[in-house]
mmCIF file of all heavy atoms in Angstrom:
data_model
loop_
_atom_site.group_PDB
_atom_site.id
_atom_site.type_symbol
_atom_site.label_atom_id
_atom_site.label_comp_id
_atom_site.label_asym_id
_atom_site.label_seq_id
_atom_site.Cartn_x
_atom_site.Cartn_y
_atom_site.Cartn_z
ATOM 1 N N PRO A 193 -13.041 9.206 30.231
ATOM 2 C CA PRO A 193 -12.254 9.059 28.962
ATOM 3 C C PRO A 193 -10.770 8.800 29.291
ATOM 4 O O PRO A 193 -10.227 9.420 30.235
ATOM 5 C CB PRO A 193 -12.326 10.517 28.295
ATOM 6 C CG PRO A 193 -12.737 11.428 29.509
ATOM 7 C CD PRO A 193 -13.518 10.550 30.476
ATOM 8 N N PRO A 194 -10.152 7.949 28.422
ATOM 9 C CA PRO A 194 -8.744 7.715 28.709
ATOM 10 C C PRO A 194 -7.846 8.867 28.412
ATOM 11 O O PRO A 194 -8.152 9.690 27.594
ATOM 12 C CB PRO A 194 -8.424 6.480 27.785
ATOM 13 C CG PRO A 194 -9.439 6.676 26.710
ATOM 14 C CD PRO A 194 -10.661 7.230 27.313
ATOM 15 N N VAL A 195 -6.806 9.024 29.126
ATOM 16 C CA VAL A 195 -5.841 10.034 29.158
ATOM 17 C C VAL A 195 -4.913 9.854 27.861
ATOM 18 O O VAL A 195 -4.154 8.847 27.883
ATOM 19 C CB VAL A 195 -4.997 10.278 30.361
ATOM 20 C CG1 VAL A 195 -4.022 11.517 30.130
ATOM 21 C CG2 VAL A 195 -5.974 10.577 31.458
ATOM 22 N N GLN A 196 -5.062 10.507 26.831
ATOM 23 C CA GLN A 196 -4.252 10.400 25.693
ATOM 24 C C GLN A 196 -2.880 11.194 25.742
ATOM 25 O O GLN A 196 -2.957 12.261 26.021
ATOM 26 C CB GLN A 196 -4.988 10.860 24.345
ATOM 27 C CG GLN A 196 -6.293 10.047 24.078
ATOM 28 C CD GLN A 196 -6.004 8.609 23.764
ATOM 29 O OE1 GLN A 196 -4.970 8.203 23.367
ATOM 30 N NE2 GLN A 196 -7.030 7.740 23.968
ATOM 31 N N PRO A 197 -1.745 10.450 25.580
ATOM 32 C CA PRO A 197 -0.566 11.140 25.524
ATOM 33 C C PRO A 197 -0.350 12.115 24.397
ATOM 34 O O PRO A 197 -0.876 11.914 23.331
ATOM 35 C CB PRO A 197 0.516 10.070 25.467
ATOM 36 C CG PRO A 197 -0.157 8.867 24.776
ATOM 37 C CD PRO A 197 -1.628 9.037 25.294
ATOM 38 N N ARG A 198 0.126 13.340 24.707
ATOM 39 C CA ARG A 198 0.329 14.341 23.711
ATOM 40 C C ARG A 198 1.640 14.345 23.094
ATOM 41 O O ARG A 198 2.700 14.308 23.754
ATOM 42 C CB ARG A 198 0.042 15.703 24.333
ATOM 43 C CG ARG A 198 0.028 16.899 23.374
ATOM 44 C CD ARG A 198 -0.220 18.143 24.045
ATOM 45 N NE ARG A 198 -0.014 19.316 23.155
ATOM 46 C CZ ARG A 198 -1.095 19.812 22.541
ATOM 47 N NH1 ARG A 198 -2.289 19.308 22.759
ATOM 48 N NH2 ARG A 198 -0.999 20.805 21.743
#
Side-chain angles (χ1 to χ4, degrees):
V195 179
Q196 299 293 339
R198 183 184 179 90

